[in-house]
Amino acid sequence: MLKASHWRLYADRHRIELTPRPRRSCPDCRGAGGWWGGGANPEMEACGCWSDRRELRVRLWPVLAWPSGPPF
């Protein structure tokens, strides 16, 4: 996993993912990513600094098994 700027990059043999992260300089959430709403059952409201941006996911093709030896 690599964190650069306001994105998180994750790569393995099955997929590559780019996901947004909250900005530390955001005046609304101050880098927390959101805030808790009031009421009897509080829920976290996501801040627009990261929740409005899309996530990018690329699935990779499966790698075929290598042959155990030469074909002759």
Side-chain angles (χ1 to χ4, degrees):
M1 173 174 39
L2 174 68
K3 295 178 183 177
S5 182
H6 306 297
W7 294 93
R8 182 180 73 109
L9 172 69
Y10 176 79
D12 63 11
R13 59 186 274 192
H14 302 290
R15 67 186 173 276
I16 298 172
E17 294 180 0
L18 263 173
T19 55
R21 295 183 355 176
R23 287 187 268 158
R24 292 184 193 173
S25 62
C26 178
D28 296 330
C29 71
R30 295 179 178 82
W35 49 88
W36 291 96
N41 297 320
E43 293 184 7
M44 185 168 186
E45 296 180 30
C47 183
C49 71
W50 68 275
S51 65
D52 294 340
R53 293 186 285 169
R54 291 181 31 166
E55 177 179 299
L56 177 66
R57 182 176 296 159
V58 178
R59 286 182 29 185
L60 302 176
W61 287 73
V63 177
L64 300 175
W66 293 97
S68 60
F72 49 86

